[in-house]
Amino acid sequence: MKEALVSAGPIVTITDSPIPRPGPNQIVTKVVFSGSNPKDWKRPEWMSDKPPVNQGDDVSGVVHEVGEGVREFRKGDRVGAFHEMMAPGGSYAEYAVSWESTTFLLPENVSFEEGAAIPLAAMTAACGLYAKLRLPAPFLPNPNPTPLLIYGASSAVGYYTLQFALKSNLHPLICVAGRAAKHIEPLLDRSKGDTIVDYRQEDAKVVEDLKKALGGKKLEHAYDAVSEKGSYQNIAQVLSHTTGKITFVLPGKKYDDLPAGIEKSVTRVGDVHGTPDDLKEFGYVYFRYISKGLAEGWFRAQPYEVVEGGLEGVQKGLEGLKEGRASAVKYIFKISDTPGVGS
């Protein structure tokens, strides 16, 4: 099979590899579309001394083979899946490997294109809201609306965070976004105080607008889907310094310049594969809930753009991510468009 390996640059090399076989509790999927994520170009730069690997983690396709112990899936099922990061069998290939717990049925009303835009970012949103910030689960009644600030609400993670937050009755939703703000506007309930603050203003004006949006309400929860460029410094000026909780999406930073009373956490989506925190059961539950939400229509994939060339388009897509050309859009790749690959 054809497989794309990513090294620093990003530089992508297409190679021929054997079709993977599933181990116990694993699934091999014939990939129809693969999605991309910023970590796909960042990790090779952080680990430039390591050999290039297949960095793809967003899988959308048809089950090809299941391993021993797999109960929920069978050959021919339409699925989405989150591949275990840095493990063999990534989604930049004709066939990809995933664990049963991080695989979910793709409802018939959801396209393979949409399926490739969901797994990693949607699960990152769920982990941050419910495993880190410990906000009310979306499947439990929450009669008391809870304010939430989402910094980077029009990003992939932010967009899914917003959808979960609505299901959890979190209001007002203070959504910090820029030129892609119109992307999230239809989701907001202005009657409940939901609003958008433009981060492109001077920091002082951003903070002023955040305070105005809160209308005197105490803010105790913030999801920082940006975690750089002054985002959390602005959040710290409106978040409670005694009971506030904030979660970040960028690992490897200290975030020390925050008041000591604010509870800090880093959302690591890899925890659903068991390291360093064990959220395997969490991932199992929420991927199935995502599948339910997709079928019912209250959970939707973010907008996407198909990059031409299949696997040969991966380098162009990752360059676009690195250069910041993707605004409220997920770059995805149709594997059968790869030269030398059949449909």
Side-chain angles (χ1 to χ4, degrees):
M1 70 170 186
K2 299 294 183 184
E3 181 176 27
L5 306 180
V6 185
S7 53
I11 297 173
V12 176
T13 304
I14 310 298
T15 186
D16 289 309
S17 302
I19 295 175
R21 298 295 307 277
N25 303 310
Q26 288 185 331
I27 293 163
V28 171
T29 296
K30 181 175 174 58
V31 185
V32 179
F33 281 89
S34 172
S36 60
N37 294 284
K39 54 132 299 246
D40 299 350
W41 70 263
K42 291 180 179 180
R43 278 183 178 263
E45 296 199 354
W46 298 339
M47 308 168 70
S48 58
D49 57 328
K50 303 292 185 183
V53 299
N54 178 344
Q55 291 284 346
D57 296 317
D58 284 329
V59 182
S60 179
V62 177
V63 173
H64 171 70
E65 186 178 3
V66 300
E68 180 184 355
V70 172
R71 298 177 292 107
E72 295 182 65
F73 304 95
R74 64 187 65 184
K75 184 179 176 68
D77 283 347
R78 303 173 76 253
V79 296
F82 173 36
H83 162 262
E84 182 176 358
M85 294 185 290
M86 301 303 293
S91 66
Y92 292 155
E94 293 182 68
Y95 296 86
V97 177
S98 61
W99 294 97
E100 182 177 24
S101 61
T102 55
T103 303
F104 59 97
L105 289 172
L106 205 59
E108 291 296 333
N109 61 310
V110 178
S111 68
F112 286 119
E113 291 93 329
E114 292 170 311
I118 293 167
L120 185 150
M123 185 52 62
T124 303
C127 287
L129 281 177
Y130 305 119
K132 298 299 181 179
L133 294 178
R134 300 299 177 95
L135 283 158
F139 41 76
L140 293 175
N142 178 27
N144 302 310
T146 305
L148 174 68
L149 192 159
I150 307 172
Y151 215 106
S154 62
S155 67
V157 172
Y159 183 67
Y160 293 125
T161 299
L162 177 55
Q163 292 185 70
F164 277 126
L166 291 168
K167 196 68 173 172
S168 290
N169 193 29
L170 305 181
H171 297 283
L173 290 168
I174 315 302
C175 300
V176 181
R179 66 182 186 273
K182 63 181 180 180
H183 164 57
I184 60 173
E185 177 65 44
L187 296 177
L188 304 186
D189 187 340
R190 294 281 181 169
S191 71
K192 295 182 179 179
D194 298 349
T195 192
I196 297 173
V197 172
D198 192 336
Y199 69 80
R200 295 172 295 179
Q201 309 172 94
E202 293 291 329
D203 286 343
K205 185 64 168 64
V206 171
V207 173
E208 177 187 339
D209 287 353
L210 291 176
K211 291 179 178 178
K212 185 184 302 182
L214 284 165
K217 293 184 175 68
K218 185 178 183 180
L219 179 68
E220 296 184 295
H221 300 90
Y223 197 129
D224 188 352
V226 178
S227 306
E228 60 183 352
K229 301 177 182 177
S231 61
Y232 58 90
Q233 289 88 350
N234 288 341
I235 293 171
Q237 296 189 57
V238 295
L239 189 64
S240 171
H241 289 186
T242 55
T243 58
K245 296 180 180 180
I246 184 171
T247 193
F248 307 100
V249 295
L250 293 183
K253 299 179 70 173
K254 296 293 186 182
Y255 305 107
D256 286 336
D257 50 342
L258 287 174
I262 293 177
E263 182 181 314
K264 301 175 290 184
S265 66
V266 176
T267 295
R268 298 176 296 260
V269 69
D271 288 351
V272 299
H273 288 125
T275 54
D277 294 334
D278 189 351
L279 292 180
K280 288 182 181 179
E281 297 293 309
F282 180 96
Y284 176 90
V285 170
Y286 272 89
F287 269 127
R288 279 135 192 83
Y289 193 62
I290 287 169
S291 180
K292 182 178 186 290
L294 291 169
E296 294 175 350
W298 60 261
F299 199 80
R300 298 185 294 277
Q302 69 171 112
Y304 57 83
E305 179 182 323
V306 180
V307 181
E308 294 182 354
L311 294 176
E312 290 199 350
V314 171
Q315 180 165 322
K316 178 182 177 182
L318 298 189
E319 288 172 345
L321 289 176
K322 183 176 182 178
E323 295 164 10
R325 295 199 300 266
S327 177
V329 68
K330 167 84 80 170
Y331 290 141
I332 65 172
F333 313 96
K334 186 177 183 180
I335 304 305
S336 63
D337 285 348
T338 308
V341 172
S343 61

